Amino acid sequence: MIDRSFADPSLAALYDTLNPWGPGDDFCLGLVMSAGSVLDVGCGTGRLLGRALREGHRGRLMGIDPAAAMLVLARAHEPGVEWVLGDLRAREWHGEFELAVMTGHAFQVLLGDEELRLALNAVHAALVPGGRFVFETRNPGARAWETWTPDRAREIPDGRGGVVRVWHEVESVASAGDRVTFTETFDGALWERPQVDRTTLRFLDTDTLDRFLGEAGFAVVERYGDWERGPLTPACPEIITVAEAVGR
């Protein structure tokens, strides 16, 4: 199931305004520019690969995403990139890429163990031997969801001279603490009534992440707690992982 905020064109158009280019994008762009071929899994509006192309990348760049509304934006912004509609099951992979990235906490939408295994196996199959997979997840120890409250609403331009108010509200936290369900509400003149998107994210600790990565043939070669490459501590907001495809 694709989140409504990605599938609805009126909501997808707000994504880059809600999530402006930041340190995480700079971190990933540096890796993309140093790789000859790159697969962006869950590429969204395509700004990472589009920026890489505009900055002179001359290798192969492919972005894949299951949300058609997001890919419409990606194709409009940068038609020179290879954009694919679908998820990792959309095609067979044959060791075509030196680097795979999964940004924007997209890794956290992989909720079930089998879904996660299938995704990691597909990424591994897409990489050349020694290729790298880079992704980030929110550190469960930081309990970011405790700040997802209506009193922290944001206001952003709607692109038509008005304002959209956006807020989050947690509905449930699983007893194990690894799955959080919340709503994201958009309210503004673009719609007759507020638009509500419901999402569940999975928060995995490093031991669990490493177990799944190892099963899929990856070895963790770098791990950070922030985009400045600081060490991972219990309070760090992110778990940033660089894993190498080493075989199974």
Side-chain angles (χ1 to χ4, degrees):
M1 179 70 70
I2 301 170
D3 285 356
R4 184 179 182 186
S5 60
F6 303 145
D8 183 321
S10 68
L11 300 180
L14 300 173
Y15 181 84
D16 285 345
T17 303
L18 272 172
N19 303 277
W21 188 277
D25 300 286
D26 289 328
F27 179 99
C28 291
L29 180 63
L31 297 173
V32 170
M33 296 303 293
S34 65
S37 50
V38 182
L39 173 65
D40 187 351
V41 182
C43 63
T45 62
R47 67 184 182 189
L48 176 62
L49 297 188
R51 177 81 166 263
L53 187 63
R54 291 190 296 275
E55 294 202 3
H57 195 286
R58 292 295 175 261
R60 185 182 183 190
L61 299 173
M62 175 188 285
I64 184 168
D65 199 289
M70 299 293 267
L71 280 190
V72 167
L73 295 170
R75 291 182 176 123
H77 292 158
E78 190 47 74
V81 173
E82 186 177 355
W83 305 114
V84 177
L85 178 63
D87 58 22
L88 285 164
R89 298 168 294 181
R91 56 179 293 164
E92 291 186 7
W93 305 98
H94 303 286
E96 304 158 64
F97 298 95
E98 296 175 12
L99 174 70
V101 296
M102 199 171 188
T103 64
H105 302 108
F107 192 88
Q108 291 185 253
V109 305
L110 302 170
L111 299 179
D113 288 359
E114 189 57 27
E115 181 183 15
L116 182 52
R117 289 189 179 100
L118 287 171
L120 288 173
N121 286 336
V123 172
H124 189 279
L127 291 170
V128 300
R132 295 198 165 186
F133 176 38
V134 181
F135 65 96
E136 90 282 3
T137 64
R138 295 177 182 88
N139 181 6
R143 302 178 67 84
W145 62 85
E146 293 182 347
T147 67
W148 298 347
T149 54
D151 62 294
R152 295 173 181 261
R154 296 174 57 190
E155 292 188 348
I156 61 171
D158 67 2
R160 300 183 182 180
V163 171
V164 175
R165 191 166 181 265
V166 186
W167 68 90
H168 301 87
E169 189 164 9
V170 173
E171 290 190 341
S172 65
V173 180
S175 58
D178 65 340
R179 289 175 177 81
V180 176
T181 300
F182 64 98
T183 58
E184 183 176 32
T185 302
F186 300 77
D187 190 16
L190 294 176
W191 313 279
E192 293 183 358
R193 59 184 62 85
Q195 304 296 296
V196 181
D197 174 42
R198 179 170 287 100
T199 303
T200 299
L201 298 178
R202 189 174 186 183
F203 289 74
L204 294 177
D205 59 29
T206 54
D207 288 343
T208 306
L209 283 172
D210 292 351
R211 174 168 57 83
F212 281 112
L213 287 166
E215 289 177 2
F218 286 102
V220 175
V221 292
E222 298 175 36
R223 178 159 281 150
Y224 308 108
D226 58 50
W227 295 113
E228 286 69 45
R229 291 180 166 81
L232 177 61
T233 67
C236 283
E238 306 284 355
I239 300 174
I240 301 163
T241 300
V242 181
E244 184 174 303
V246 295
R248 280 187 276 250

